[in-house]
Amino acid sequence: MSQKNRLQSGGRIDRSKALTFTYNGRQYKGYQGDTIASALLANGVDIVARSFKYSRPRGIVAAGAEEPNAVLQVGATEATQVPNVRATQQELYDGLVCGATNGWPSVESDMMGLMGKVGGNMMPPGFYYKTFMYPQSMWKTYEKFIRMAAGLGRAPKEVDQDEYDAVNQHCDLMVVGAGPAGLMAALTAARSGARVIIADEQSEFGGHLLSSRERIGGKSAADWVADIVEELASYPDVLMLPRSTVNGYHDHNFLTINENRSDYKGDKAPADQVRQRMHRVRAHWVVLATGAHERPLVYGYNDVPGCMIASAVSTYINRYGVVPGNKLVLMTTNDSAYQTALDWADAGREVVAVVDTRAKAEGDLVEAVRKRGIKVITGSAVIEVSGKKRVSGVTVAAIDAKGDKVVGGAQHMSCDTVASSGGWSPVVHLSCHTGSRPVWREDIFGFVPGPTVQKQLIAGGINGTYALEKVLAEGVEAGREAATRLGLTAADVQLPNVRSLSEGKAMELYHIPHTKPTSRAPKQFVDYQNDVTAAAIELATREGFEAIEHVKRYTAMGFGTDQGKLGNINGMAITAKSVGQTIPETGTTVFRPNYTPIAFGAIAGRNCKELFEPKRFSAMHKWHEENGALYEDVGQWKRPWYFPKAGETMQQSLDRECKAVRESVGILDASTLGKIDIQGKDAREFLARVYTNAWAKLGVGKCRYGLMCKEDGMVFDDGVTSCLGENHFLMTTTTGGAAGVLEWLELYHQTEWPELEVYFTSVTDHWATMTISGPNSRKLLAELTDIDLSNDTFKFMDWREGSVAGVPARVFRISFTGELSFEVNVQANYGLHVWEKLFEHGAKYNLTPYGTETMHILRAEKGFIIAGQDTDGSVTPHDLGMSWCVADSKPFSYIGKRGMMRSDCVRKDRKQMVGLKTKDPKVVLPEGAQAVADPKQPIPMDLLGHVSSSYWSANLNRSIALGFVKGGLERMGETVYYPLADGRVIEAEICSPIFLDPKGERQNV
Amino acid sequence: MQRYSGFGLLKHSLSYHENWQRVWRNPQPKKKYDVIIIGGGGHGLATAYYLAKEHGITNVAVLEKGHLGGGNISRNTTIVRSNYLWDESAALYEHSMKLWEGLSQELNYNQMFSQRGVYHTCHTLGDMRTNERLVNANRLKGIPNEMLDAEQLQKEIPALDCSKSARYPVMGASVQRRGGNARHDAVAWGYARAADSLGVDLIQNCEVIDMEINDGKITGVKTKKHGVIKADRVGCVTAGNSGVLAKMAGFELPLESHPLQALVSEPIKPFLDTVVMSNHVHGYMSQSDKGDLVIGAGIDGWVGYGQRGSYSIIEHTIQAIVELFPCTSRVRMNRQWGGIVDTCPDASPVISETPIKNLFFNCGWGTGGFKGTPGSGNVFAHTLAHGKAHPLAEPFSYYRFHTGALIDEHGAAGVAH
């Protein structure tokens, strides 16, 4: 198909590079430098979407980020699908595949359009709140149909193969927007010696100058831009980021930039390149030079394809060499749009008329248009468009001076394009992200950034400054001010000559009146994507939704993917008028990040898949791998869960591991337990305050078990701490709790007890730890160490320093299994060596590796708790039957003391930890089962407590469990019942949690 | 109250929708009310409605600093569930759930309450244990809840990555099939409209700046715009600003106000019909009837009243979502926002009498306030009407921090605590 709307020459496209692309299954041609939108317009494609509610055909309205309609599905393969790509911002590349997101059987002739016509009148704003309620049971069915209409594009079904990354940046000055103001600000700051980042969402720098026929300093605008860019490139400390959208502005001058690295040239990133990159920028100063968006006017059927904003028409002509129609009617409230009439005429096509809403039009551009013989109709407006799938004509009528009502007879004109301009809205979005509210300027009929606590300057269109010479001057001024505030000597920058235009005063007008009242007039669209009309806004306010946030939420105005860039100000103006307020009284909704949508993948960066969180492995991991370990995720660690031998079930492995420990010797990789080195003259005092038990008398060479509580008196971690020297301790924590405990210690040290001299260092990764446990553990270890292991000199809860397998080691005689145990700690790099040596010598003792599951069983046989499994933030040491671990007589209080003494915490009938023996010893209680006194009671039942740990014990040849029962410590021997989901009820007897060796003799041999 | 129905829509379409009545009046405040409710959010409006409806107390004003429903009711991720761990909370949230079921009809305002199921995924043995415990507790309390293994879960939610190759592979999930989503604005507006029609005065743009307290008893409040308004009883339902109000009354609440963020994608065709929450990877998501993926982020560690949070939290949240749903990598995030949540040390709310006579507080809902809205309003109305706590509210007394009878729901209250 020929590009019927393409001009023979002109624009910034490269006619030597023809590109082929597919839209809705048909192939089209475009050129390098096109966007999808410009290429579609060049090919005469009118309809790019069906509207959300009414399924009305929609065409391209704008040329940038404010485009609400041309939102397409892009992607040649399943894995590279991208939903909701704005055609006006996506550069064309060869082979691009795209399509409309709605419409059946096609976007040109959509069956849903019939529904929209028939049912549209029954769909005022918020109609869904008023219906679909009866009968109650039908909502699910109604909703199925509602959901069928939901959404624009679709998510890919296959996984994105591309990568994304993020970089942190720091700069003196971040310039947002590389139009004339931004370029001047960046240039001035760069010349002053500042480190500058300048980013712009477009493919090249220049902003609206890329679409302009202005001359600057005697050069074409494009040449002038090229010179500036060249100079900026010569500064090593200037980073220029085209195709980079500053999408968020956060507190403390932190900004995020989404840089499009490759999706402008293909839907899959080339090998070794990322698709997109996030820049996380911390800037000393920020210049916002984000320009302004032109406002369309709101008139009858203003959504018919062919209705556009005036500046977009100029952009397509001047930048892309595309005239999006043949016969133009231009409607404007101001002078600037007259340029569009000139551009259209210069492109050789007909301007039917310029319809100016002002009673009087005067100004240089107006005169230029009149001189060209173009008809200018003043004091009038296009009140209605005719045509269904493309504009076929307009109805023009005279309006009163305020633009409130139609005062004259209507005349019809035939045309295929309507360009409108209601003036300009500064792009204040970023300035609002940090909580600053914009302020209304009566002189420009627009909001500009309000007061802010950020180090932020503004220049150009965002400041309501539109005349090019002033825009350039403001850019320089912002650059100079930033430089000065940065402590630099601001450089002088000569302002280039540009033509100066006299302009007539613009008219404040948003909503074009119709001969009929708004409620009965043809639909006048405010927010295209969500089908919000002027009538809808008026209805909302009549119903009492008067706050602008209410209007937004009730009508869905501004909820689309353009977030109201095109329509919001019009909507606010209509709201204001409707409730009899001024626009500033009505105010705006809150602009939030993102400025334009950003791929989840880009925000996630590298931190997904394998790198979502690091995997941590102990120094002996290689051995575990070679010996068939299966793993359990504990925190970030991969811990061996158990070591199955060929043909074994899990239970068989556990039985074998458990027996080996009790009968001979087993070995556990305990490296993952948190280890915190604590030093300082107040280390001992600090321990006494954070643990519930006493630490005053723990001598060098001794170890002690400790419980830690939060302020509420509830246990949150436990572990053994050893005294390495008078002012030096080594604390161990649970594997999962390590980081939290260190944070907790630091919190208390830094905020509550800064006077204590104590230092904490995480040494978890520095040591490899192996627990050798079982009656033969002494014999085995003795073969490899120079430490005297005899029971008299190396007592239970002692630790010794020496060598093991030829390397320096700390050996702790502590036990989590209840057996004679030695915990060998060596520098992590020696871990594997020592581990392997132990196995060399251990074969004769049947040294058996065991994992976390066996560890859990063995400790449960002894009634030892696991913090986090047998505790849940609601359990005091007393509830655990561990009152022996609480020393209330300590001179200074300890964390949790007051909490656990509160009346509810000393009740006798609290849930307390007990042992549980099932009536049938072969039945293992499921963990999480809930106890009741009477299983036959009706639901809701009175729950007594849950099973926290439960196992088959091969050593005891029966099941064992730990669990909580109300008043359990006083209910030994009583029976409780566990009704399960499958209907079974398990009966269990409350018993001591210590199932094996109640006197603790085995660990003392 | 004008009745809403499909027939009504048809009728009004014939008159160009020109004759719809106002949803609520804009009254001038009276000099004195039986009850003043400070805070016109979801909980405050629900409280007003139930006061009028169930207790016949209609001489009530709701004083709202900004516009109705402008706080957390309009900023949450709209999830409704009642699968809480402890008896006290499960009873309260289930009371709320029962009110949700039928609320559209009661208010004659479609709440778009969809019980499409809430799933809690388990990624570790510890997660599995916790969820088994929860499911059993709920089941025996008459709150249906069930466990699924990874295979069943994959069948029910095809887009969720249940493969073994995930960093923390999904081992199973608990699912409360009665859980789901509701339309947050409809909740505020539905209650507001119904309360207004029963005679409650909804006063917008009316900030309370002080309290009139004599001999330990509140007699009225001072407002910025309308001076002193007298009241026999005052209920304070101001979420993130509760601490500020308590300070006016001269006492402190055990609350911290933190920013909590949420975000949405652009609207895409529905591919997720349920709510999926993962405490382990810290992310949760559902998809609205408009097609937006609605995603809850974590809570910021710092305290403050600015309704925005840190970017790092957004990053981590998105990472979790891409981890759970790898196909969303190319879906695009449209917008993020923040609210201020008032969190108690035990992650449970305060619905209570206070040291000031006739002054009651309903706060501390933290990350769980939306689902609690009907139940909260219902029991708080009872509390205000009787001058003492509703039986379901009793355990949520302010004084539980004195006795230690905490209701620690950190496990069940949501993500990222």
Short mmCIF file of all heavy atoms in Angstrom, two decimals, chain A residues 84 121 129 133 143 147 152 160 162 280 519 543 550 563 592 598 600-601 613 872 904 941, chain B residues 17-18 23 68 105 110 114 116 133 140-141 168 269 289 307 315 329-330 332-334 403:
data_model
loop_
_atom_site.label_atom_id
_atom_site.label_comp_id
_atom_site.label_asym_id
_atom_site.label_seq_id
_atom_site.Cartn_x
_atom_site.Cartn_y
_atom_site.Cartn_z
N ASN A 84 0.01 -2.53 25.27
CA ASN A 84 -0.25 -1.11 25.51
C ASN A 84 0.87 -0.16 25.12
O ASN A 84 1.15 0.81 25.81
CB ASN A 84 -0.62 -0.88 26.99
CG ASN A 84 -1.78 -1.74 27.43
OD1 ASN A 84 -2.42 -2.40 26.62
ND2 ASN A 84 -2.07 -1.74 28.72
N ASN A 121 -26.37 4.57 26.24
CA ASN A 121 -27.13 5.52 27.03
C ASN A 121 -27.41 5.04 28.44
O ASN A 121 -27.76 5.80 29.32
CB ASN A 121 -28.48 5.83 26.33
CG ASN A 121 -28.25 6.73 25.14
OD1 ASN A 121 -27.23 7.42 25.07
ND2 ASN A 121 -29.18 6.70 24.20
N TYR A 129 -22.26 0.78 39.66
CA TYR A 129 -22.59 0.83 41.09
C TYR A 129 -24.10 0.72 41.30
O TYR A 129 -24.56 0.44 42.39
CB TYR A 129 -22.12 2.14 41.73
CG TYR A 129 -20.63 2.39 41.63
CD1 TYR A 129 -20.13 3.60 41.17
CD2 TYR A 129 -19.72 1.40 42.02
CE1 TYR A 129 -18.77 3.83 41.09
CE2 TYR A 129 -18.36 1.62 41.93
CZ TYR A 129 -17.89 2.84 41.47
OH TYR A 129 -16.54 3.05 41.39
N MET A 133 -26.89 -5.94 40.78
CA MET A 133 -26.94 -6.29 42.20
C MET A 133 -27.93 -7.41 42.49
O MET A 133 -27.86 -8.05 43.53
CB MET A 133 -27.34 -5.08 43.03
CG MET A 133 -26.21 -4.10 43.24
SD MET A 133 -26.73 -2.68 44.21
CE MET A 133 -27.56 -1.67 43.02
N GLU A 143 -20.13 -10.38 36.41
CA GLU A 143 -18.73 -9.97 36.42
C GLU A 143 -17.92 -10.66 35.33
O GLU A 143 -17.00 -10.08 34.77
CB GLU A 143 -18.11 -10.24 37.80
CG GLU A 143 -16.82 -9.47 37.99
CD GLU A 143 -16.06 -9.84 39.24
OE1 GLU A 143 -16.14 -11.00 39.65
OE2 GLU A 143 -15.35 -8.98 39.78
N ARG A 147 -15.58 -8.63 32.93
CA ARG A 147 -14.15 -8.91 32.76
C ARG A 147 -13.79 -9.23 31.31
O ARG A 147 -12.65 -9.06 30.90
CB ARG A 147 -13.72 -10.05 33.69
CG ARG A 147 -13.60 -9.60 35.14
CD ARG A 147 -13.25 -10.73 36.07
NE ARG A 147 -11.83 -11.01 36.20
CZ ARG A 147 -10.99 -10.34 36.97
NH1 ARG A 147 -11.40 -9.31 37.67
NH2 ARG A 147 -9.71 -10.67 37.04
N LEU A 152 -6.64 -3.59 27.82
CA LEU A 152 -6.29 -3.20 26.45
C LEU A 152 -5.50 -4.36 25.86
O LEU A 152 -6.06 -5.30 25.35
CB LEU A 152 -5.49 -1.90 26.48
CG LEU A 152 -6.26 -0.70 27.04
CD1 LEU A 152 -5.34 0.49 27.29
CD2 LEU A 152 -7.37 -0.29 26.08
N ASP A 160 9.69 -13.63 29.26
CA ASP A 160 10.59 -12.65 28.67
C ASP A 160 12.04 -13.15 28.76
O ASP A 160 12.51 -13.47 29.85
CB ASP A 160 10.42 -11.36 29.49
CG ASP A 160 11.13 -10.17 28.87
OD1 ASP A 160 11.76 -10.35 27.81
OD2 ASP A 160 11.03 -9.07 29.45
N ASP A 162 14.59 -11.31 27.71
CA ASP A 162 15.49 -10.16 27.77
C ASP A 162 15.89 -9.84 29.20
O ASP A 162 15.22 -10.20 30.15
CB ASP A 162 14.81 -8.94 27.15
CG ASP A 162 14.86 -8.98 25.63
OD1 ASP A 162 15.58 -9.85 25.09
OD2 ASP A 162 14.19 -8.16 24.99
N ARG A 280 19.18 5.27 38.51
CA ARG A 280 18.71 5.79 39.79
C ARG A 280 19.61 6.96 40.14
O ARG A 280 20.78 6.77 40.48
CB ARG A 280 18.78 4.70 40.86
CG ARG A 280 17.87 3.52 40.51
CD ARG A 280 17.88 2.44 41.54
NE ARG A 280 19.13 1.72 41.55
CZ ARG A 280 19.22 0.39 41.69
NH1 ARG A 280 18.16 -0.34 41.86
NH2 ARG A 280 20.40 -0.19 41.69
N SER A 519 -26.08 17.45 28.54
CA SER A 519 -26.61 16.10 28.76
C SER A 519 -27.28 15.54 27.51
O SER A 519 -27.39 14.34 27.37
CB SER A 519 -27.61 16.13 29.92
OG SER A 519 -28.62 17.08 29.65
N GLU A 543 -24.71 14.67 41.00
CA GLU A 543 -25.00 13.60 41.95
C GLU A 543 -24.28 13.81 43.29
O GLU A 543 -24.48 13.04 44.22
CB GLU A 543 -24.61 12.24 41.37
CG GLU A 543 -25.53 11.76 40.28
CD GLU A 543 -25.33 10.29 39.96
OE1 GLU A 543 -25.91 9.45 40.66
OE2 GLU A 543 -24.56 9.99 39.03
N HIS A 550 -13.29 12.86 43.67
CA HIS A 550 -14.55 12.12 43.49
C HIS A 550 -14.90 12.04 42.01
O HIS A 550 -15.31 10.99 41.52
CB HIS A 550 -15.69 12.81 44.25
CG HIS A 550 -15.68 12.50 45.73
ND1 HIS A 550 -16.35 13.29 46.64
CD2 HIS A 550 -15.09 11.52 46.44
CE1 HIS A 550 -16.18 12.79 47.86
NE2 HIS A 550 -15.42 11.72 47.76
N GLN A 563 -2.91 8.59 31.84
CA GLN A 563 -3.12 9.25 33.13
C GLN A 563 -3.59 10.69 32.98
O GLN A 563 -3.16 11.58 33.71
CB GLN A 563 -1.85 9.19 33.97
CG GLN A 563 -1.57 7.77 34.43
CD GLN A 563 -0.77 7.72 35.72
OE1 GLN A 563 -1.00 8.51 36.63
NE2 GLN A 563 0.15 6.79 35.78
N ARG A 592 1.30 11.07 40.15
CA ARG A 592 2.20 10.13 40.82
C ARG A 592 3.07 9.46 39.77
O ARG A 592 2.69 9.39 38.60
CB ARG A 592 1.37 9.04 41.50
CG ARG A 592 0.38 9.54 42.54
CD ARG A 592 0.94 9.34 43.90
NE ARG A 592 -0.06 9.53 44.94
CZ ARG A 592 0.25 9.51 46.23
NH1 ARG A 592 1.49 9.31 46.62
NH2 ARG A 592 -0.68 9.68 47.15
N ILE A 598 6.22 1.90 32.79
CA ILE A 598 7.54 1.28 32.73
C ILE A 598 7.38 -0.24 32.88
O ILE A 598 6.63 -0.69 33.74
CB ILE A 598 8.43 1.77 33.90
CG1 ILE A 598 8.50 3.29 33.95
CG2 ILE A 598 9.82 1.16 33.82
CD1 ILE A 598 9.26 3.93 32.85
N PHE A 600 7.69 -3.90 34.06
CA PHE A 600 8.03 -4.51 35.35
C PHE A 600 9.48 -5.00 35.32
O PHE A 600 10.22 -4.84 36.29
CB PHE A 600 7.14 -5.73 35.62
CG PHE A 600 5.76 -5.41 36.12
CD1 PHE A 600 5.25 -4.13 36.04
CD2 PHE A 600 4.97 -6.40 36.67
CE1 PHE A 600 3.97 -3.84 36.51
CE2 PHE A 600 3.70 -6.13 37.14
CZ PHE A 600 3.20 -4.85 37.06
N GLY A 601 9.84 -5.61 34.18
CA GLY A 601 11.19 -6.17 34.08
C GLY A 601 12.26 -5.12 34.32
O GLY A 601 13.29 -5.40 34.96
N GLU A 613 17.11 -13.58 44.92
CA GLU A 613 17.87 -13.40 46.18
C GLU A 613 19.07 -14.31 46.06
O GLU A 613 18.97 -15.38 45.48
CB GLU A 613 17.02 -13.83 47.38
CG GLU A 613 16.23 -12.68 47.97
CD GLU A 613 15.60 -13.03 49.31
OE1 GLU A 613 15.97 -14.06 49.91
OE2 GLU A 613 14.73 -12.27 49.73
N ASP A 872 6.08 -18.21 68.11
CA ASP A 872 5.42 -17.46 67.04
C ASP A 872 5.16 -16.01 67.44
O ASP A 872 4.26 -15.37 66.92
CB ASP A 872 4.09 -18.13 66.67
CG ASP A 872 3.14 -18.22 67.84
OD1 ASP A 872 3.48 -17.68 68.91
OD2 ASP A 872 2.07 -18.82 67.70
N ASP A 904 -1.78 -10.61 81.85
CA ASP A 904 -2.20 -11.66 80.93
C ASP A 904 -1.08 -12.67 80.66
O ASP A 904 -1.34 -13.80 80.28
CB ASP A 904 -2.65 -11.04 79.59
CG ASP A 904 -3.37 -12.05 78.74
OD1 ASP A 904 -4.56 -12.30 79.04
OD2 ASP A 904 -2.76 -12.62 77.82
N MET A 941 -15.49 -24.48 67.32
CA MET A 941 -14.98 -25.21 68.46
C MET A 941 -14.10 -24.33 69.32
O MET A 941 -13.55 -23.33 68.86
CB MET A 941 -14.17 -26.42 67.99
CG MET A 941 -14.99 -27.47 67.25
SD MET A 941 -14.02 -28.98 67.06
CE MET A 941 -15.14 -29.96 66.06
N HIS B 17 -30.38 11.20 31.86
CA HIS B 17 -29.71 11.14 33.18
C HIS B 17 -29.71 12.50 33.89
O HIS B 17 -28.81 12.81 34.65
CB HIS B 17 -28.28 10.61 33.05
CG HIS B 17 -28.24 9.22 32.48
ND1 HIS B 17 -28.66 8.13 33.18
CD2 HIS B 17 -27.85 8.76 31.26
CE1 HIS B 17 -28.53 7.03 32.42
NE2 HIS B 17 -28.04 7.39 31.25
N GLU B 18 -30.73 13.29 33.58
CA GLU B 18 -30.75 14.64 34.17
C GLU B 18 -31.39 14.66 35.55
O GLU B 18 -31.31 15.65 36.26
CB GLU B 18 -31.51 15.60 33.23
CG GLU B 18 -30.69 15.95 32.00
CD GLU B 18 -31.53 16.57 30.89
OE1 GLU B 18 -32.77 16.60 31.02
OE2 GLU B 18 -30.94 17.01 29.88
N VAL B 23 -26.18 11.89 45.82
CA VAL B 23 -25.91 10.72 46.65
C VAL B 23 -25.87 11.09 48.14
O VAL B 23 -26.16 10.27 48.99
CB VAL B 23 -24.59 10.03 46.26
CG1 VAL B 23 -24.80 9.11 45.09
CG2 VAL B 23 -23.49 11.04 46.00
N LEU B 68 -14.91 12.81 51.32
CA LEU B 68 -15.30 11.50 51.84
C LEU B 68 -14.52 10.39 51.14
O LEU B 68 -14.36 10.41 49.92
CB LEU B 68 -16.80 11.28 51.63
CG LEU B 68 -17.74 12.23 52.37
CD1 LEU B 68 -19.19 11.94 51.98
CD2 LEU B 68 -17.56 12.13 53.88
N GLN B 105 -26.58 -5.41 48.37
CA GLN B 105 -28.03 -5.35 48.45
C GLN B 105 -28.46 -4.50 49.64
O GLN B 105 -29.40 -3.72 49.54
CB GLN B 105 -28.60 -6.77 48.58
CG GLN B 105 -28.44 -7.61 47.31
CD GLN B 105 -27.01 -8.03 47.02
OE1 GLN B 105 -26.21 -8.19 47.95
NE2 GLN B 105 -26.66 -8.18 45.76
N ASN B 110 -23.70 -1.27 44.38
CA ASN B 110 -22.91 -2.45 44.02
C ASN B 110 -21.47 -2.32 44.52
O ASN B 110 -20.71 -1.47 44.06
CB ASN B 110 -22.92 -2.66 42.50
CG ASN B 110 -22.41 -4.03 42.13
OD1 ASN B 110 -21.80 -4.73 42.95
ND2 ASN B 110 -22.67 -4.44 40.90
N SER B 114 -16.36 -9.64 44.94
CA SER B 114 -16.17 -10.86 44.16
C SER B 114 -15.38 -11.87 44.95
O SER B 114 -14.20 -11.66 45.22
CB SER B 114 -15.40 -10.53 42.88
OG SER B 114 -16.14 -9.64 42.13
N ARG B 116 -13.64 -14.54 44.56
CA ARG B 116 -12.93 -15.41 43.62
C ARG B 116 -11.76 -16.14 44.26
O ARG B 116 -11.00 -16.82 43.62
CB ARG B 116 -12.49 -14.61 42.39
CG ARG B 116 -13.66 -14.25 41.47
CD ARG B 116 -13.23 -13.52 40.22
NE ARG B 116 -13.51 -12.08 40.34
CZ ARG B 116 -12.57 -11.17 40.42
NH1 ARG B 116 -11.30 -11.49 40.38
NH2 ARG B 116 -12.91 -9.90 40.53
N ARG B 133 -1.54 -24.73 60.15
CA ARG B 133 -2.06 -24.31 61.45
C ARG B 133 -3.25 -23.36 61.28
O ARG B 133 -4.29 -23.51 61.91
CB ARG B 133 -0.93 -23.63 62.22
CG ARG B 133 -1.35 -23.06 63.55
CD ARG B 133 -0.19 -22.32 64.18
NE ARG B 133 -0.58 -21.71 65.44
CZ ARG B 133 0.16 -20.81 66.07
NH1 ARG B 133 1.33 -20.45 65.60
NH2 ARG B 133 -0.27 -20.28 67.20
N LEU B 140 -11.99 -25.20 62.11
CA LEU B 140 -12.70 -25.58 63.33
C LEU B 140 -13.50 -24.42 63.90
O LEU B 140 -14.33 -24.59 64.80
CB LEU B 140 -11.73 -26.14 64.36
CG LEU B 140 -11.02 -27.43 63.91
CD1 LEU B 140 -9.97 -27.85 64.91
CD2 LEU B 140 -12.02 -28.55 63.68
N LYS B 141 -13.23 -23.22 63.40
CA LYS B 141 -14.01 -22.06 63.82
C LYS B 141 -15.14 -21.79 62.83
O LYS B 141 -15.82 -20.77 62.91
CB LYS B 141 -13.11 -20.82 63.92
CG LYS B 141 -12.20 -20.82 65.15
CD LYS B 141 -13.01 -20.63 66.41
CE LYS B 141 -12.13 -20.66 67.64
NZ LYS B 141 -12.91 -20.70 68.89
N TYR B 168 12.55 -19.60 45.29
CA TYR B 168 11.88 -20.25 46.41
C TYR B 168 10.65 -20.97 45.85
O TYR B 168 9.56 -20.40 45.78
CB TYR B 168 11.45 -19.22 47.46
CG TYR B 168 12.61 -18.53 48.14
CD1 TYR B 168 12.92 -17.19 47.88
CD2 TYR B 168 13.42 -19.23 49.04
CE1 TYR B 168 13.98 -16.56 48.50
CE2 TYR B 168 14.50 -18.60 49.66
CZ TYR B 168 14.78 -17.28 49.39
OH TYR B 168 15.83 -16.66 50.00
N LYS B 269 -5.66 -7.67 29.40
CA LYS B 269 -6.73 -8.66 29.38
C LYS B 269 -6.59 -9.57 30.61
O LYS B 269 -5.48 -9.95 30.97
CB LYS B 269 -6.62 -9.50 28.10
CG LYS B 269 -6.75 -8.68 26.83
CD LYS B 269 -8.18 -8.50 26.40
CE LYS B 269 -8.28 -7.87 25.03
NZ LYS B 269 -8.08 -6.39 25.01
N ASP B 289 -11.41 -5.55 37.69
CA ASP B 289 -12.37 -5.75 36.60
C ASP B 289 -12.08 -4.86 35.41
O ASP B 289 -12.65 -5.03 34.34
CB ASP B 289 -13.81 -5.49 37.10
CG ASP B 289 -14.32 -6.66 37.92
OD1 ASP B 289 -13.65 -7.72 37.92
OD2 ASP B 289 -15.38 -6.53 38.57
N GLN B 307 2.14 10.83 52.03
CA GLN B 307 1.50 9.66 51.43
C GLN B 307 2.30 9.15 50.25
O GLN B 307 1.81 9.01 49.13
CB GLN B 307 0.05 10.00 51.06
CG GLN B 307 -0.82 10.08 52.32
CD GLN B 307 -2.17 10.66 52.05
OE1 GLN B 307 -2.32 11.58 51.24
NE2 GLN B 307 -3.19 10.17 52.74
N GLU B 315 10.78 -1.40 43.95
CA GLU B 315 11.67 -2.33 43.22
C GLU B 315 11.50 -3.74 43.77
O GLU B 315 11.34 -4.70 43.02
CB GLU B 315 13.13 -1.92 43.40
CG GLU B 315 13.55 -0.74 42.55
CD GLU B 315 15.02 -0.41 42.73
OE1 GLU B 315 15.47 -0.30 43.90
OE2 GLU B 315 15.73 -0.26 41.74
N SER B 329 6.88 -9.70 33.11
CA SER B 329 8.09 -8.89 32.92
C SER B 329 7.88 -7.74 31.92
O SER B 329 8.40 -6.65 32.09
CB SER B 329 9.24 -9.79 32.46
OG SER B 329 10.34 -9.05 32.10
N ARG B 330 7.10 -8.01 30.87
CA ARG B 330 6.89 -6.97 29.85
C ARG B 330 5.61 -6.17 30.06
O ARG B 330 5.29 -5.27 29.30
CB ARG B 330 6.91 -7.59 28.46
CG ARG B 330 8.32 -7.92 28.01
CD ARG B 330 8.34 -8.60 26.66
NE ARG B 330 9.72 -8.77 26.23
CZ ARG B 330 10.23 -8.24 25.11
NH1 ARG B 330 9.46 -7.56 24.30
NH2 ARG B 330 11.49 -8.40 24.80
N ARG B 332 3.53 -3.40 31.97
CA ARG B 332 4.11 -2.13 32.42
C ARG B 332 3.36 -1.52 33.60
O ARG B 332 2.14 -1.56 33.67
CB ARG B 332 4.17 -1.16 31.25
CG ARG B 332 4.93 -1.79 30.08
CD ARG B 332 5.23 -0.83 28.99
NE ARG B 332 4.06 -0.18 28.44
CZ ARG B 332 4.11 0.77 27.54
NH1 ARG B 332 5.28 1.20 27.09
NH2 ARG B 332 3.01 1.32 27.08
N MET B 333 4.15 -0.98 34.49
CA MET B 333 3.58 -0.36 35.68
C MET B 333 3.09 1.04 35.33
O MET B 333 3.83 1.85 34.80
CB MET B 333 4.65 -0.27 36.76
CG MET B 333 4.28 0.59 37.94
SD MET B 333 5.65 0.61 39.09
CE MET B 333 5.36 2.19 39.89
N ASN B 334 1.84 1.30 35.64
CA ASN B 334 1.25 2.59 35.28
C ASN B 334 1.43 3.62 36.38
O ASN B 334 1.81 4.75 36.11
CB ASN B 334 -0.24 2.40 34.98
CG ASN B 334 -0.84 3.54 34.20
OD1 ASN B 334 -0.11 4.28 33.53
ND2 ASN B 334 -2.14 3.70 34.29
N THR B 403 -2.22 -5.14 79.85
CA THR B 403 -2.34 -6.49 80.41
C THR B 403 -1.45 -7.50 79.70
O THR B 403 -1.13 -8.55 80.24
CB THR B 403 -3.79 -7.00 80.28
OG1 THR B 403 -4.09 -7.16 78.88
CG2 THR B 403 -4.78 -6.05 80.91
#
